[in-house]
Amino acid sequence: MSDYEDFDYNKPMSFKIWKKMIPFIIPEKKNLIICAVLMVFVALTDILFPLLLGFAIRNHIQPRNIEGVWPLIIGAVCLVTFQGFGTRFFVAIGIKAECGMSRGIRNAVFNHLQKLSLSYYNKFPVGYLMARTNSDTGRIGDLVAWGLIDFTWSVFYCVGAVISMFIVHWKLAFIVCATIPLLALLTWFFQSRILAVNRIMRKINSRMTGAMNEGITGARTVKVLTAEKQSHEEYTAITSEYRIHGTHMARLHAIFIPTMLFISSLATAAVLSYGGWEIVFLGADLAVLAIFLQYAGGFFWPIQNIARIITDFVSTQANIERVTGLLEQVPGITDKPEVLEKYGDVFAPKKENWETITGDVEFRDVTFCYPGYNKKILENFNLTIKAGTYAAIVGETGAGKSTLVNLVCRFFEPTSGEILIDGKDYRERSQHWLHSAFGYVLQSPHLFSGTIRENIRYGRLDATDEEVEKASVIVHADKIIQKMEKGYETEAGEGGDRLSTGEKQMISFARAVLADPKIFILDEATSSIDTEMEMLLQEAIHKLLEGRTSFVIAHRLSTIRNADIILVMDEGVIIERGTHTELMNRRGHYHKLYTQQFEAEAEEKALRS
């Protein structure tokens, strides 16, 4: 994850980068404008309070006059009330704007991820994509909403306070304003260093999260290898490094904040000294001194806010570039405009135009290299599978079995040549049309969080409970489900982690059956099922595959003896083809594989007995 996410970002402020966020800011412009207006009025009340105090001192406190004090009290109460309500509403609307913007970006990222090809997921780890979808989008939404709000208040307060001071007493105004450049310079100096340390801590935090994830997910392996001490030492080393930089961060804050307060106090002392001298020797107004003491002490936070927000806007450009970089990723496999016009896409399918799939599959002079690689996995490959054929694919690891079925499913496309479904290049029809006709059962199937019933229903979302249970009965998954504590309402857990691999395979079979596909892809789908259940499932599969085109990747060759055709692959080439009997009689490569496996299984069975 760190290879993709953690890099030093040192670019200056760029409006070109921020322009990319305009489509997500526009839907929240009403809320942001309301917040900005409210913050202007809140800043105005903050500016008026010192003036109100000065008025009270000049007209009521010094002359000890209570005449007309009630309008002043009412005015002060109105200002406090307005400030309270203004703060309450801008916080509520600000949260709404932040959540709305984060939601818009997250939805856009997640929807775009659905459109990307498998080749993209092969290059980028899950952690990287999750960080883009959650952390980066959240940071952008937070900064746009609250950054703009705080920046608006800070700027208007500073400008309004400076104008008010020069109107009241220009000499004292110069004294206060003389500290502003020093405050700004120190803020920039410390904020840049705090940002640098924060980047380092963010990188270490990524490593710390990764180490924690490995420690938890690999807990069984750690215990088996008795590597607890090593795991603990590695994690402790990372947390120690984090503590060192965290201490450095605290030290910077410990210097920065008191220094800023000291300068602010110096400004207050200077105002008090000069203002007091004018009062004593020149008979100046005490109210003026009170006003300036209020303004001098109030410049610290808005100036710090402005510097911090500008720094945050610069650093958040890295988050924007990562998010927009993902959104600008072009899917490796796309449908032609005319195909989308006729068939629609996954979000707006035009099923009324979909042709019924019979199941004929043909590879015609197909050459294939994985994206980014020059090695040819298949070259001038030809294969014809008629509708309803049960085709088994066998071979050593790396022979090209998975590549073959991935091409059939159009998870990848041929580098050259054609793959025809029912006699027509499948690129002339939509991906969604094709994928809707497939049932795909993997060796390590994925289940979603939710109940067993909900996971089976993913095969066809409009299926009734009776149809879900009927699909389970067909593949004998009901026998496993009935033994579970809550039956079909049992929670599968995250990724199906509450079930065994065999149980997950049975559930995935029921899900595939419910989809009623025209073409089945089985990738060693019975590898984790016990022998008794496998016999029942093999019988069910035989019935299930009747009349359907099926590609079965098998490692246990005893499970494919009933296949209509067995394809033996080696380095992307079909070196043998035929039925089980035909291939055994040839005494070639398949015969050798089958005999070796049979002897190994017999030996293992003997050892168990």
Side-chain angles (χ1 to χ4, degrees), residues 377-392:
I377 308 300
L378 301 178
E379 185 173 8
N380 298 325
F381 184 87
N382 291 279
L383 173 67
T384 300
I385 300 294
K386 294 297 183 182
T389 300
Y390 171 5

Side-chain angles (χ1 to χ4, degrees), residues 110-123:
F110 189 81
N111 287 344
H112 191 68
L113 284 172
Q114 309 306 302
K115 300 175 183 178
L116 295 178
S117 310
L118 277 182
S119 57
Y120 182 81
Y121 293 95
N122 290 340
K123 289 187 288 186

Side-chain angles (χ1 to χ4, degrees), residues 32 41 107 142 150 170 176 220 321 456 517 527 529 555 593:
L32 291 173
F41 281 104
N107 285 349
D142 175 72
D150 286 344
W170 67 271
V176 175
R220 180 177 298 177
E321 288 200 334
I456 296 174
S527 60
I529 298 172
H555 299 286
L593 288 175

